[in-house]
Structures are given as C-alpha cells and as structure tokens.
Amino acid sequence: MMTKDDAIDFVRSVLKIEDVEEKFKKDQYALLCSITKKYVHTEPFQNLTLLATKHEERHCPTLDEIQKDIYSTVGGLCFHHNVFMKYLLESLGYQVHFIACDIRFPGNHVAVLVKELIKPGDSYYVDVGCGYLIEQPISMQFDEKSQIYHQGFICYQFVRKNGVIQRIQTIAKFRPVLQKEITKERNWFVFLEMTLEPRELDYFSEAMRKVYTVRNAHSGWFLNDIRMVHKAQGKLVALKNTTFFSENENNELVDTTLLSKNDLIKWVEKYTPQIAVSNINPAVTNIQLQFECGE
C-alpha cells in the first residue's frame, strides 16, 4: 500500500511529526504514541461521505480510496483508519498485524496489534478507527484485567474472559446500550470482544461488505444515522443525526440539538471543513433525516 518513504512523508506532512526515522531508532513506543495521538486529532471518524453515496454505488473502500481519504484528512469508518494505520506502521518498520473485533456482530471491527514494541513477546492494541477514540497504544500484558484508562469523558479497561478479551467502558449517552452488555461489577458495558489472533485483510471482506452496503445488518447503524467524531482543541466533538455532543472543561459530555439543516452545515464547516458540505444534502435525503425546524 505504501513505501517507507510514503509513510515518513505522511507522518511528517499530515501528522506534523518531524525526524521520524531518528525517533523510530531511539524509541519506537514513544513514536507510536505520538503517531496515534496526532492521528485521532487529525482524522475524523465519520460516515457522512458514505451516506451521501448513492445506494447502488456503496462498497467497501479499496486501498487506493482509503489512502486518498486519509491523506486528505476526510477520514471514514474503522476500515479506513485501521487498515491505513496497519500499513503505515508496517512501512515504518513496526511488527504489526490485523485483529478482528466483534461489536455486537462477528468481525465487524478491524483493529491493529503491534508486537515486539518494547521487549520480546509484548503486544499493544492500536485502534484509531473507533467512535470512542483511543489516543494511545494499549498494552496487552496483563493477566485478568488491564489498568483503567481515563480519556476525556470515558473510562475503559480490558478484561480477559472465556478465551477472549473484552473492552469494557463507562456508558455514554450518544450510544444506546443493550441490557445484556452491562457488566455486573459496575455500571459499565462491554463495547467489544476480540482475540489477538492475526488476520489477513480478506478475513473482513464479508463483514465489511455488510457494514458499507446492507442496512440493519452487522454495523447497519452506519447506514441509518449520521455519525461523526473528532477532536477539537483537545476535546471530543461528536454528531449523531441532529444531536451535537461536546466535552466541557470538566470532561463531561454535553449535548445540543441542531434545529435545522443549516445548523448541520455550520457544524461540518466548523469542525470538519475538509469534508465538502455538498455531502450533506444527499446524506440527509438518503436517511430521511428530519429537523425540528424543517429545512
């Protein structure tokens, strides 16, 4: 997908990280932390461009399409972000492979595992393509439970259970939680389950086809609702249809209603200006989104 020179150019020109080769030689972990944090602050998680696409033209993006969207910082869903991240890290010299995650349905989320990062045998979970943004690589070196991580309005933890690893986290109001997902120990919920088994890219073909083309199947919610998540001046901003969520200074999630299509246009122009507002009309039409104040 990319050469080493391509990867260095992206990190330098898009993520604004200099001296990449020197930093890789000095401290691979520190560079990886810089890359993942800069990435989630640069690339939006969004499905607006998908929703704006005609039904008959929707498809799982090709590698060329992924590269184009990421270089232009338009972003996309998990397949965009984590596929790009795997090939980026691999080209820089990291030992990395895909892993499959289940979010309510099998294999419908792609993530990345980086190995031999600090010492032989270690592994780190990297996920820059999730609506619940994770800014850092997460060590998988724990027995039953990882430490608890705090990031903005959410706390999350990884737990080994029945042969899989669960990512559990605090409940947030921009995502409905099923009763069976709520944990017994505290009022958290199971967001995803995964194993660390290496997967080839074609492993995800059928699940991703459904994510991008089939409504109400697998991750069909991405074909029913506008969902956008980004970082603005270090704080999370998110959009679900006509509700705007933002983190305040106390890391609390505050919601505001967008009353009209014009409000939606202003939101996109302010927080993700790299995404053409021409996507808004077809996206709103395709999901038949209604506003309190009409147009």
Side-chain angles (χ1 to χ4, degrees):
M1 184 177 182
M2 68 180 75
T3 65
K4 183 176 181 179
D5 287 342
D6 291 336
I8 293 172
D9 176 68
F10 175 83
V11 175
R12 183 178 62 247
S13 62
V14 179
L15 301 186
K16 309 302 182 186
I17 299 173
E18 299 292 339
D19 305 318
V20 179
E21 289 184 286
E22 291 80 358
K23 289 176 180 176
F24 181 85
K25 292 175 183 177
K26 182 178 179 180
D27 191 334
Q28 293 184 28
Y29 175 75
L31 176 61
L32 179 61
C33 289
S34 295
I35 289 172
T36 56
K37 184 171 184 177
K38 285 272 193 172
Y39 187 96
V40 300
H41 283 249
T42 303
E43 302 282 349
F45 178 87
Q46 60 89 14
N47 69 337
L48 184 65
T49 50
L50 170 62
L51 291 179
T53 304
K54 294 179 180 178
H55 295 279
E56 63 272 17
E57 296 177 3
R58 293 175 181 172
H59 61 279
C60 183
T62 66
L63 295 180
D64 285 343
E65 289 170 334
I66 289 172
Q67 189 158 328
K68 178 182 177 182
D69 288 341
I70 300 303
Y71 265 85
S72 60
T73 69
V74 165
L77 299 178
C78 76
F79 194 77
H80 266 86
H81 294 298
N82 286 326
V83 169
F84 184 88
M85 182 57 61
K86 189 265 189 183
Y87 289 119
L88 175 73
L89 296 178
E90 191 171 60
S91 298
L92 291 173
Y94 288 96
Q95 294 187 43
V96 60
H97 63 248
F98 293 120
I99 56 174
C101 306
D102 303 344
I103 303 180
R104 294 186 181 171
F105 299 94
N108 63 349
H109 183 70
V110 184
V112 174
L113 196 74
V114 181
K115 302 188 69 175
E116 313 289 326
L117 187 59
I118 297 176
K119 60 184 179 180
D122 69 6
S123 58
Y124 285 76
Y125 168 81
V126 170
D127 191 347
V128 295
C130 178
Y132 290 102
L133 301 177
I134 291 185
E135 297 182 350
Q136 65 189 98
I138 305 296
S139 172
M140 292 290 101
Q141 279 63 251
F142 59 87
D143 293 326
E144 294 183 4
K145 297 180 180 180
S146 73
Q147 70 182 73
I148 294 177
Y149 297 89
H150 301 264
Q151 184 177 298
F153 72 96
I154 63 169
C155 299
Y156 56 90
Q157 183 180 39
F158 292 81
V159 177
R160 297 185 191 276
K161 186 175 182 180
N162 300 326
V164 301
I165 298 174
Q166 295 179 331
R167 174 180 164 185
I168 63 173
Q169 60 191 59
T170 47
I171 294 173
K173 51 189 173 182
F174 71 74
R175 180 187 187 275
V177 174
L178 303 179
Q179 186 63 36
K180 65 180 182 180
E181 295 173 330
I182 299 176
T183 62
K184 295 180 180 179
E185 295 182 14
R186 52 183 178 267
N187 198 35
W188 287 27
F189 77 103
V190 178
F191 176 61
L192 62 74
E193 294 184 326
M194 65 185 181
T195 69
L196 305 184
E197 181 180 353
R199 302 293 187 182
E200 296 297 327
L201 188 58
D202 60 6
Y203 174 86
F204 302 95
S205 297
E206 180 59 15
M208 288 301 123
R209 181 190 68 79
K210 293 178 179 179
V211 168
Y212 284 91
T213 66
V214 182
R215 299 184 73 171
N216 301 318
H218 283 61
S219 292
W221 48 83
F222 291 125
L223 299 177
N224 298 322
D225 302 306
I226 295 175
R227 294 176 183 244
M228 303 178 72
V229 184
H230 197 35
K231 287 279 188 172
Q233 298 180 335
K235 294 294 185 180
L236 180 139
V237 292
L239 187 68
K240 181 181 178 184
N241 288 334
T242 61
T243 305
F244 165 44
F245 300 92
S246 60
E247 284 179 337
N248 63 19
E249 292 304 314
N250 296 319
N251 290 326
E252 299 165 330
L253 204 61
V254 179
D255 61 279
T256 306
T257 300
L258 304 183
L259 299 177
S260 67
K261 189 188 297 183
N262 191 49
D263 287 343
L264 176 57
I265 291 172
K266 289 179 179 178
W267 191 97
V268 172
E269 289 178 331
K270 180 176 181 179
Y271 294 110
T272 57
Q274 66 273 37
I275 299 176
V277 294
S278 59
N279 288 290
I280 293 176
N281 276 336
V284 167
T285 299
N286 285 336
I287 63 171
Q288 299 180 328
L289 184 62
Q290 302 294 316
F291 295 91
E292 287 188 24
C293 295
E295 291 297 312

